[in-house]
Amino acid sequence: MKLWDKGYEPDKMIEEFTVGQDRELDLRLARYDVEGSMAHIRMLESIGLLTKSELEVLLKGLGEIRAEIERGEFTIEPGVEDVHSQVEFILTERYGDIGKKIHSGRSRNDQVLVDLKLFMRDELRKIAHATENLFERLQSLSEEYQDVLMPGYTHLQVAMPSSFGLWFGAYAEALADDMQMLLAAYRIADQNPLGSAAGYGSSFPLNRTMTTELLGFSDLHYNVVAAQMSRGKTERAAAMAIASIASTLARFAMDVCMWMCQNFGFVSFPDEFTTGSSIMPHKKNPDVFEIMRGKCNRLQSVPNEIALLTANLPLGYNRDLQLLKDITFPATTEIVKCLEMWDFMLQHIRINRDIINDPKYDYLFTVEDVNRLALSGMPYRDAYKTIGMQVQHGEYKPTREVHHTHEGSTGNLCNDRIAAKMHRIIEQFK
Ligand code: ARG
């Protein structure tokens, strides 16, 4: 059963190959497809292409389908290509020819576009919400452990005193930057492509402003070709934001893997949060963070996959675009799972509170001691030399006093300002 039926059935192999994963993936678009159609037919009635009573019947029908989707009863039947066809077939089956009227002034090209914009808007909101939760968790850990020092490294060599407060707080602020990317992606998704039809508009006097308002979009993609071109761009912007969060999470996972290692021993987790070895009876492995690192590193390839899939496509709709769903749908789910998993794990993290007294970290304090001499009047270069020679001759004795006061340092984390920054961004996701 095809919307484009002209008396012949496509070859089974062709059908399977071209439909691909659509029957499954399109289920995630179903409720948006119905919403889009509801807005479209309201508009059709307003321009005289449907009567009031036809509109009522169709709205009732679409309402029933929406309820079936919510109850998980909606499926795309074998032989039906996609969600757009399925919805139209159900309406026609139940209400007769009137069901065929919903497609006036439309094309599946703009149906899928509007579905994807609505879907992506919701997914980006979910990602923003999960990011915000993790952000709050990190900020509260940062406050809780603000006085607990840990070694800071450069070149992976012991460098200067850091703190758990600084560490947790750093990932919180990094997520605020990622949230900016998410907001940019959200704004790109929040524009109405409906009315672009096959990609070149329609000779029906469509009221696109009306559907924009009905669907709660902030603006339109005005130019119908630009609207069609936004397929791929919307996904790419979202993927870049997801990749940005993923890069933060992957790096954080690496820290934890390393710091759970016995050579560091900075953090640990209760046994139930680790995994064992089949041969080494003592092992308590950080598999969660390794899987996290792997998943988040993979997610960073998604923008690249999209770039390759869409490179040099001719202007207008091309069926290649269908495969964007295969790439982006799992990615939006995966990043939320990763964010939630982080939040879950951090509720159980244990911090080693006295790492810093280990003599192997003595040299962390050289810079503090140089600065102390300089503050008491010695020229900076002489102070550096004095401490440097003590180290060189094995005579350096750290004072272990850390007194950082400037904004964003161990003694002045400015978490409240970082929170304000984050909240200003979040407010803009309406
Ligand atoms: N499944 C298709 C997609 O995702 C829907 C649009 C089909 N349009 C077409 N001209 N064949 O792109």
Side-chain angles (χ1 to χ4, degrees):
M1 230 183 338
K2 302 284 170 291
L3 290 173
W4 41 271
D5 177 52
K6 284 179 282 297
Y8 62 89
E9 273 300 307
D11 183 276
K12 278 273 155 286
M13 291 263 289
I14 303 297
E15 158 104 10
E16 236 183 85
F17 192 75
T18 52
V19 170
Q21 297 194 64
D22 259 17
R23 276 187 207 108
E24 191 191 320
L25 294 178
D26 273 13
L27 291 179
R28 288 180 76 174
L29 297 181
R31 50 179 287 230
Y32 305 107
D33 201 71
V34 169
E35 263 179 57
S37 290
M38 284 176 152
H40 184 71
I41 58 173
R42 283 200 164 97
M43 186 275 293
L44 289 182
E45 188 271 333
S46 79
I47 61 169
L49 279 170
L50 286 176
T51 65
K52 249 205 162 40
S53 59
E54 284 173 330
L55 173 66
E56 268 161 32
V57 174
L58 288 171
L59 283 176
K60 181 171 162 280
L62 286 168
E64 280 167 16
I65 297 175
R66 183 165 60 187
E68 286 156 23
I69 294 166
E70 269 156 29
R71 290 197 300 270
E73 291 163 7
F74 178 88
T75 52
I76 300 170
E77 293 157 45
V80 175
E81 277 187 315
D82 48 38
V83 66
H84 328 294
S85 314
Q86 183 70 52
V87 170
E88 194 174 321
F89 284 136
I90 297 177
L91 280 180
T92 313
E93 218 170 69
R94 292 183 189 166
Y95 298 96
D97 279 357
I98 181 179
K100 297 179 188 162
K101 289 198 170 188
I102 65 164
H103 209 61
S104 318
R106 289 197 89 177
S107 157
R108 280 182 299 163
N109 297 354
D110 80 344
Q111 277 186 279
V112 67
L113 265 177
V114 80
D115 294 3
L116 284 167
K117 293 274 191 190
L118 293 170
F119 166 80
M120 207 47 102
R121 228 173 40 167
D122 273 2
E123 292 296 296
L124 289 168
R125 276 202 205 108
K126 283 184 212 159
I127 300 170
H129 180 67
T131 306
E132 184 186 1
N133 285 345
L134 179 57
F135 174 87
E136 304 291 352
R137 172 86 47 210
L138 287 165
Q139 281 229 312
S140 89
L141 285 165
S142 173
E143 289 293 304
E144 184 177 349
Y145 294 104
Q146 58 179 311
D147 298 323
V148 183
L149 293 181
M150 72 191 299
Y153 296 83
T154 69
H155 310 263
L156 203 51
Q157 301 285 308
V158 165
M160 279 181 64
S162 178
S163 69
F164 283 97
L166 205 54
W167 179 54
F168 287 123
Y171 283 100
E173 191 167 5
L175 287 178
D177 284 345
D178 299 332
M179 196 68 110
Q180 299 266 25
M181 305 270 290
L182 213 55
L183 181 61
Y186 181 78
R187 289 194 164 135
I188 290 173
D190 192 18
Q191 303 176 88
N192 186 17
L194 185 53
S196 59
Y200 297 93
S202 163
S203 55
F204 291 119
L206 304 177
N207 183 348
R208 297 190 62 207
T209 303
M210 178 176 172
T211 56
T212 302
E213 280 161 15
L214 287 173
L215 291 168
F217 282 111
S218 292
D219 208 342
L220 284 89
H221 268 304
Y222 293 95
N223 182 307
V224 289
V225 176
Q228 183 53 234
M229 274 202 290
S230 76
R231 184 133 189 226
K233 271 191 178 252
T234 310
E235 289 89 337
R236 196 160 166 178
M240 283 162 88
I242 291 169
S244 186
I245 298 170
S247 76
T248 304
L249 301 188
R251 198 160 188 189
F252 194 21
M254 176 60 205
D255 290 352
V256 172
C257 286
M258 193 157 74
W259 294 353
M260 279 174 78
C261 161
Q262 291 75 6
N263 296 53
F264 290 84
F266 297 175
V267 302
S268 60
F269 287 87
D271 289 352
E272 318 85 85
F273 294 80
T274 61
T275 49
S277 154
S278 59
I279 174 171
M280 298 163 283
H282 64 283
K283 291 300 287 295
K284 289 180 180 146
N285 293 327
D287 291 23
V288 169
F289 297 99
E290 293 168 313
I291 295 287
M292 182 72 74
R293 188 174 54 195
K295 279 178 184 280
C296 290
N297 283 338
R298 254 190 81 191
L299 281 172
Q300 291 176 74
S301 73
V302 173
N304 208 26
E305 269 189 80
I306 294 175
L308 291 173
L309 177 65
T310 54
N312 304 332
L313 287 183
L315 196 60
Y317 177 83
N318 302 279
R319 190 76 181 265
D320 319 41
L321 295 170
Q322 175 175 300
L323 301 178
L324 284 164
K325 291 184 279 195
D326 303 36
I327 304 173
T328 45
F329 285 20
T332 60
T333 309
E334 193 79 289
I335 193 70
V336 172
K337 276 196 208 149
C338 288
L339 286 159
E340 289 172 353
M341 193 56 171
W342 258 119
D343 188 43
F344 178 69
M345 292 305 280
L346 288 176
Q347 291 171 45
H348 304 279
I349 195 167
R350 291 171 177 161
I351 302 302
N352 181 350
R353 287 182 173 269
D354 34 52
I355 317 162
I356 216 76
N357 297 321
D358 189 316
K360 68 171 168 277
Y361 301 124
D362 280 359
Y363 292 144
L364 283 176
F365 301 93
T366 58
V367 180
E368 311 306 301
D369 291 327
V370 168
N371 291 359
R372 201 165 290 113
L373 290 179
L375 281 171
S376 67
M378 191 185 285
Y380 182 80
R381 205 32 78 201
D382 293 343
Y384 176 95
K385 187 88 186 213
T386 306
I387 300 292
M389 292 318 285
Q390 287 175 11
V391 171
Q392 198 61 24
H393 298 132
E395 292 158 1
Y396 173 69
K397 292 269 171 310
T399 52
R400 293 181 184 281
E401 269 170 41
V402 179
H403 189 57
H404 290 203
T405 57
H406 67 74
E407 298 92 331
S409 61
T410 48
N412 182 10
L413 294 171
C414 295
N415 280 335
D416 53 340
R417 309 242 199 110
I418 296 170
K421 195 197 293 192
M422 183 62 141
H423 294 142
R424 275 197 301 276
I425 308 166
I426 290 169
E427 274 163 25
Q428 296 177 69
F429 288 85
K430 17 164 225 3

